[in-house]
Amino acid sequence: MSNKTLAIIKPDAVKKNLVGQIITKITEAGFKVKAVKMTKLTVDSAGGFYEVHKERPFFNDLVEFMTSGPCVPIALEKENAVADFRKLIGATDPAQADEGTIRKLFADSKAENAVHGSDSDENAAIEIAHFFTRKELLENYPN
Ligand code: ATP
Ligand code: MG
């Protein structure tokens, strides 16, 4: 079991000025912020990040949404990080998310659902490397 996961505060939540409130929820749940930045994804970068979904009917809308404004990727650390973070954010569709989850609190729809969370340890490592250099991770948080 790995102890790392990648979160993204998506463009809808950044536009709604929810960055602070969402990071507070994340740290109150016991996650440590290892690296964080604000960045506007290009079509290539967003398409590469969600490549597993490229044959899905919603893929073009997903890329358009993820490039519609800045987002905030965050490398997180906690024991059982991937599963615990997925639990904290709730179901993909906020209408089906449990009470108190980040998507239930802050998301508007299945497409614009406020946050991303890695779905496996293997993808967490790939996704952290998508946004952060080794140097950034080590300089910010050597332990
Ligand atoms: P994420 O990977 O962003 O954490 P997830 O793992 O809960 O979300 P996925 O199935 O990986 O859900 O879908 C990736 C993203 O694609 C969703 O978060 C959502 O923004 C969008 N998406 C998924 N299904 C749909 C759909 N049916 N219609 C529109 N958008 C969708
Ligand atoms: Mg996913």
Side-chain angles (χ1 to χ4, degrees):
M1 192 211 319
S2 158
N3 59 355
K4 292 188 176 61
T5 193
L6 181 89
I8 305 175
I9 303 177
K10 295 185 180 183
D12 58 323
V14 174
K15 280 193 189 104
K16 288 158 70 184
N17 209 18
L18 292 170
V19 170
Q21 286 183 68
I22 290 176
I23 291 179
T24 297
K25 281 273 166 206
I26 292 171
T27 52
E28 280 178 354
F31 291 85
K32 271 187 177 169
V33 174
K34 291 205 64 177
V36 60
K37 64 175 69 168
M38 183 174 277
T39 182
K40 190 161 182 290
L41 296 182
T42 63
V43 169
D44 280 355
S45 181
F49 186 81
Y50 280 118
E51 182 145 28
V52 290
H53 296 309
K54 75 171 180 293
E55 305 303 331
R56 309 282 287 276
F58 58 82
F59 180 73
N60 286 342
D61 289 345
L62 175 59
V63 169
E64 195 177 319
F65 163 57
M66 289 302 292
T67 58
S68 66
C71 67
V72 179
I74 312 171
L76 293 171
E77 193 169 272
K78 182 186 184 292
E79 206 175 290
N80 202 27
V82 166
D84 284 2
F85 192 70
R86 298 284 299 192
K87 206 167 167 194
L88 177 67
I89 66 179
T92 307
D93 184 347
Q96 279 159 29
D98 289 342
E99 289 301 327
T101 60
I102 291 175
R103 282 170 169 163
K104 185 70 170 190
L105 287 167
F106 300 121
D108 293 327
S109 68
K110 190 172 184 180
E112 304 206 354
N113 58 5
V115 275
H116 162 83
S118 306
D119 62 9
S120 66
D121 289 345
E122 190 192 355
N123 284 336
I126 293 167
E127 291 175 3
I128 289 169
H130 187 95
F131 287 107
F132 298 103
T133 64
R134 204 177 147 67
K135 191 163 167 277
E136 284 173 321
L137 293 166
L138 288 173
E139 273 176 357
N140 291 345
Y141 214 111
N143 303 310

